[in-house]
């Protein structure tokens, strides 16, 4: 490409080119669904937000040491618009790069990326092993257990919610809803 706006089919093809790890692909599909959900809720561009969610970790599997750095090279090489590249980079703010989330889309991505990991880890611990009947309080309970999903940076999620000026509980609730829409694809349908 090089002209116009990247669409979902093109983004998915690129994802498959750089990601073979099944759990990373599920994570990409998860973040895509949540980004689409928030875009719809906030009256924003659903396709654009979805594509950015799908590709936000494009460089992680092949270049974990250069996460968010290689992404620019890959996406710019395909002629992707700067707004998309900046959004992908900014989810690693203070973690692996110094590109600050500015746009609403970027703040949502920053807030929900780690959160989806905590929610997924919480879902599989439930008797139903499902996200479909999950409530915010289940996540809040696990949130407080620092040893649970210890790799999930709670401060980043809080900071993201703060930047968005949306209550943390609402961010959690809407992230669960977004994930419920793709429960089957991301392996969180459980036994429901
Ligand atoms: Fe991610």
């Amino acid at each position: 490409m090089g002209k116009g706006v990247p669409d979902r089919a093109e983004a998915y093809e690129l994802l498959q080119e750089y990601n073979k790890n099944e759990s990373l692909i599920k994570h990409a599909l998860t973040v895509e669904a949540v980004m689409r959900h928030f875009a719809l809720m906030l009256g924003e561009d659903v396709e654009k937000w979805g594509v950015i969610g799908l590709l936000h970790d494009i460089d992680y599997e092949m270049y974990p040491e250069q996460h968010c750095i290689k992404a620019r090279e890959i996406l710019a090489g395909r002629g992707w618009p700067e707004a998309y590249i900046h959004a992908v980079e900014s989810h690693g703010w203070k973690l692996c790069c110094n590109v600050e989330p500015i746009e609403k889309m970027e703040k949502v991505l920053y807030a929900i990326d780690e959160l989806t990991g905590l929610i997924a880890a919480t879902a599989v611990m439930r008797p139903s092993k499902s996200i479909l009947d999950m409530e915010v309080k289940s996540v809040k309970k696990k949130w407080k257990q620092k040893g649970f999903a210890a790799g999930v940076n709670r401060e980043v999620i809080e900071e993201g919610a703060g930047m968005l000026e949306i209550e943390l509980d609402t961010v959690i609730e809407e992230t669960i809803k977004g994930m419920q829409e793709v429960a089957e694809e991301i392996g969180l349908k459980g036994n429901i």
Side-chain angles (χ1 to χ4, degrees), residues 27-28 31 53 56-57 67 91 109 113-114 116:
H27 173 66
V31 173
H56 77 285
D57 279 338
H67 183 36
H91 91 273
L109 179 60
D113 182 23
E114 297 268 317
T116 60

Side-chain angles (χ1 to χ4, degrees), residues 14-190:
L14 193 55
L15 175 77
Q16 288 185 309
E17 194 180 322
Y18 282 87
N19 289 265
K20 311 293 176 202
N21 179 310
E22 203 185 316
S23 65
L24 285 177
I25 292 176
K26 277 186 185 156
H27 173 66
L29 293 170
T30 302
V31 173
E32 176 193 27
V34 175
M35 289 299 285
R36 289 179 66 95
H37 177 82
F38 271 86
L40 197 64
M41 182 178 104
L42 300 169
E44 300 282 345
D45 186 335
V46 174
E47 288 304 310
K48 181 181 183 184
W49 286 41
V51 160
I52 287 162
L54 190 65
L55 288 191
H56 77 285
D57 279 338
I58 185 71
D59 58 1
Y60 186 68
E61 186 175 327
M62 287 175 72
Y63 310 100
E65 303 302 321
Q66 293 166 284
H67 183 36
C68 296
I69 310 294
K70 274 280 177 185
R72 166 169 290 278
E73 209 178 292
I74 296 165
L75 299 176
R78 307 286 169 130
W80 279 47
E82 177 59 28
Y84 286 64
I85 299 172
H86 189 277
V88 164
E89 283 179 320
S90 71
H91 91 273
W93 185 47
K94 294 201 244 179
L95 303 169
C96 51
C97 73
N98 54 10
V99 179
E100 190 178 348
I102 306 290
E103 300 292 330
K104 207 187 291 175
M105 163 181 77
E106 298 173 341
K107 293 174 182 173
V108 172
L109 179 60
Y110 191 76
I112 63 96
D113 182 23
E114 297 268 317
L115 178 57
T116 60
L118 182 65
I119 293 174
T122 303
V124 296
M125 295 299 290
R126 312 188 60 242
S128 66
K129 302 202 182 311
S130 180
I131 192 161
L132 295 174
D133 60 348
M134 194 161 110
E135 292 177 25
V136 172
K137 62 176 187 222
S138 309
V139 181
K140 292 301 283 283
K141 210 165 129 194
K142 295 294 185 191
W143 179 288
K144 293 188 200 112
Q145 299 170 12
K146 298 292 175 214
F148 180 81
V152 171
N153 189 330
R154 275 81 161 159
E155 287 78 46
V156 164
I157 303 168
E158 274 171 346
E159 191 166 9
M163 286 192 289
L164 282 167
E165 297 178 350
I166 301 178
E167 288 291 329
L168 179 62
D169 283 19
T170 307
V171 174
I172 296 172
E173 189 182 352
E174 297 304 329
T175 302
I176 293 172
K177 283 187 198 162
M179 290 172 72
Q180 285 172 340
E181 286 159 30
V182 290
E184 185 130 37
E185 294 93 312
I186 62 175
L188 294 180
K189 191 169 168 286

